[in-house]
Amino acid sequence: MTKPLFLLVSIIFVAVIIVVAKDERAVASVAPVERPVVAQGDMEQIRGRLDKAFNAQPDAIADAPLPGFYEALYGSEVFYISSDAKHLIRGEIYNLETLDNLTEQRRAGGRLKILETIPESSMIVYKAQNEKHVINVFTDIDCVYCRKLHQDMAQINALGISVRYLAFPRAGLNSPSYDKAVSVWCAEDRNAAMDNAKGIGKIEPIKCDAPVGMHMQLAQQLGINSTPSLILEDGRLQPGYAPPKQLLSLFQ
């Protein structure tokens, strides 16, 4: 083979390699990126792992906003477990487009479901004449800011907000605060007893089968550890005291 012919063949061979390489890159660039296929999780395995971790079955399991994970709801607590049941996440998931806290939205729904199990007859209710909103308030007879909120009751009701009190003596069972709450809930006129307890502090000691212990367990399920703690009608948790007008703004 002459030298010019050899050079021509070599050039053609290199050109073919370049064209083939370009074609392969082109195919790779347009081909969809393969992502791991999230198989339907083995629910028996997932429930088994959750039961082992928490010694309890979740109230509900649903698809999570995080690909490859399920959402496990325990009361108002949200956990994320991978579909292969190997990893568990406890944290906040946000939608970066709307900045909505998706985890908190699920917690709010869980709170409402828990509250639905508690009859209103076990609460002390201050009903607004022109009711527009309802709040559930975990209160402690000896809590300073609980008393401040109670002093605003007339203004709160005037704004169309009804208040439903649940007992949460932070000092715990069989404490003086617990005994005071029992006495208020056992009174023939609960509202008058609450007014006296939070006003002049006069409480007639009474004992009965009061729902105070049940309310305390409920507070624990809801993750409440301070008073006053307010749960709004959409399930949001608002800890601490808020003046009447600021309270109303929470619904807007």
Side-chain angles (χ1 to χ4, degrees), residues 29-218:
S29 65
V30 298
V33 178
E34 290 190 8
R35 300 182 183 276
V37 177
V38 179
Q40 182 69 25
D42 184 340
M43 279 299 157
E44 185 176 347
Q45 183 184 33
I46 288 173
R47 290 184 180 278
R49 291 284 174 86
L50 289 171
D51 187 55
K52 184 178 180 180
F54 299 106
N55 197 29
Q57 285 295 311
D59 299 318
I61 297 180
D63 290 334
L66 192 65
F69 280 79
Y70 290 101
E71 186 179 77
L73 191 66
Y74 285 86
S76 61
E77 284 295 322
V78 182
F79 298 90
Y80 302 101
I81 184 168
S82 59
S83 58
D84 60 7
K86 290 183 178 180
H87 301 95
L88 186 76
I89 297 175
R90 181 182 184 182
E92 311 293 319
I93 295 181
Y94 287 83
N95 182 324
L96 286 180
E97 293 182 355
T98 63
L99 297 183
D100 290 333
N101 185 332
L102 304 181
T103 305
E104 177 55 26
Q105 289 177 2
R106 289 293 291 149
R107 288 196 194 106
R111 292 188 194 107
L112 291 179
K113 286 185 178 180
I114 293 173
L115 282 173
E116 287 174 358
T117 66
I118 305 300
E120 188 177 80
S121 59
S122 77
M123 307 174 188
I124 298 177
V125 182
Y126 287 79
K127 189 174 180 61
Q129 186 173 358
N130 183 27
E131 184 179 274
K132 299 176 182 176
H133 305 288
V134 177
I135 57 173
N136 299 279
V137 180
F138 284 84
T139 190
D140 184 339
I141 303 298
D142 293 326
C143 160
V144 174
Y145 281 100
C146 295
R147 290 179 176 177
K148 188 171 179 60
L149 185 146
H150 193 77
Q151 290 170 1
D152 296 337
M153 189 62 70
Q155 297 178 58
I156 293 172
N157 286 162
L159 292 172
I161 303 173
S162 292
V163 175
R164 306 196 310 178
Y165 275 138
L166 298 101
F168 183 44
R170 293 173 300 168
L173 291 170
N174 302 317
S175 64
S177 293
Y178 174 85
D179 292 338
K180 291 176 185 178
V182 169
S183 295
V184 168
W185 256 264
C186 289
E188 185 176 348
D189 187 337
R190 290 177 174 178
N191 291 67
M194 181 68 81
D195 294 341
N196 287 333
K198 290 187 178 289
I200 61 177
K202 182 180 179 181
I203 305 172
E204 180 184 353
I206 310 174
K207 288 188 177 181
C208 70
D209 186 18
V212 176
M214 176 182 66
H215 290 178
M216 294 174 70
Q217 290 179 354
L218 178 67

